[in-house]
């Protein structure tokens, strides 16, 4: 089970956006990377194409390695470690190791 899922709020631990939080909008489990809204922006220069007559610079999120982010717990308003509970019927749920709130 991946600890980070789509729509999670994460806190950036390292890099240019250190200290920021954002919402995950895409997870790439095979690459251990995630795309987070407003985090790790890259400027991309685009050429003029038939669709885009102007070309120019586009800002776009670039994937961040999941080891560089932590789940941000709304219960304690801090980045936290995630624990996983396995219930008797096999269902798993995630919780904040700090305040024990479900994530
Ligand atoms: Zn918490």
């Amino acid at each position: 089970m991946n600890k980070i899922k789509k729509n999670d709020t994460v806190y950036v631990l390292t890099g240019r956006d250190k200290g920021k939080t954002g919402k995950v909008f895409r997870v790439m489990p095979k690459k251990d990377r995630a795309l987070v809204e407003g985090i790790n922006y890259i400027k991309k220069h685009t050429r003029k194409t038939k669709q885009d007559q102007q070309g120019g610079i586009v800002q776009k999120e670039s994937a961040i390695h999941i080891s560089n982010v932590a789940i941000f717990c709304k219960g304690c308003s801090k980045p936290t470690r995630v624990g996983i509970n396995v219930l008797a019927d096999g269902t798993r749920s995630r919780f904040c190791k700090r305040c024990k709130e479900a994530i």
Side-chain angles (χ1 to χ4, degrees):
M1 180 178 187
N2 284 308
K3 288 194 174 177
I4 288 175
K5 290 198 223 168
K6 195 178 167 184
N7 295 328
D8 280 345
T9 301
V10 292
Y11 177 91
V12 181
L13 299 169
T14 54
R16 198 156 37 101
D17 290 318
K18 187 177 174 180
K20 289 188 189 172
T21 53
K23 197 165 128 187
V24 175
F25 65 94
R26 202 172 144 202
V27 184
M28 301 154 171
K30 281 179 190 157
K31 291 181 180 169
D32 283 337
R33 283 174 180 271
L35 286 166
V36 186
E37 281 175 9
I39 302 296
N40 219 16
Y41 262 121
I42 48 157
K43 277 184 184 162
K44 223 177 168 180
H45 294 263
T46 55
R47 282 162 193 261
K48 285 181 190 171
T49 59
K50 278 178 189 161
Q51 290 80 27
D52 178 8
Q53 287 295 322
Q54 290 210 312
I57 301 168
V58 185
Q59 283 208 326
K60 186 172 182 266
E61 283 98 345
S62 151
I64 187 165
H65 199 268
I66 56 168
S67 66
N68 293 337
V69 298
I71 294 275
F72 190 82
C73 173
K74 286 169 189 135
C76 40
S77 297
K78 281 176 186 160
T80 189
R81 289 179 164 269
V82 176
I84 293 172
N85 266 330
V86 183
L87 304 177
D89 65 357
T91 27
R92 288 161 179 237
S93 65
R94 302 180 305 164
F95 66 94
C96 167
K97 280 193 177 169
R98 208 191 293 265
C99 66
K100 312 293 177 201
E101 282 286 322
I103 291 171

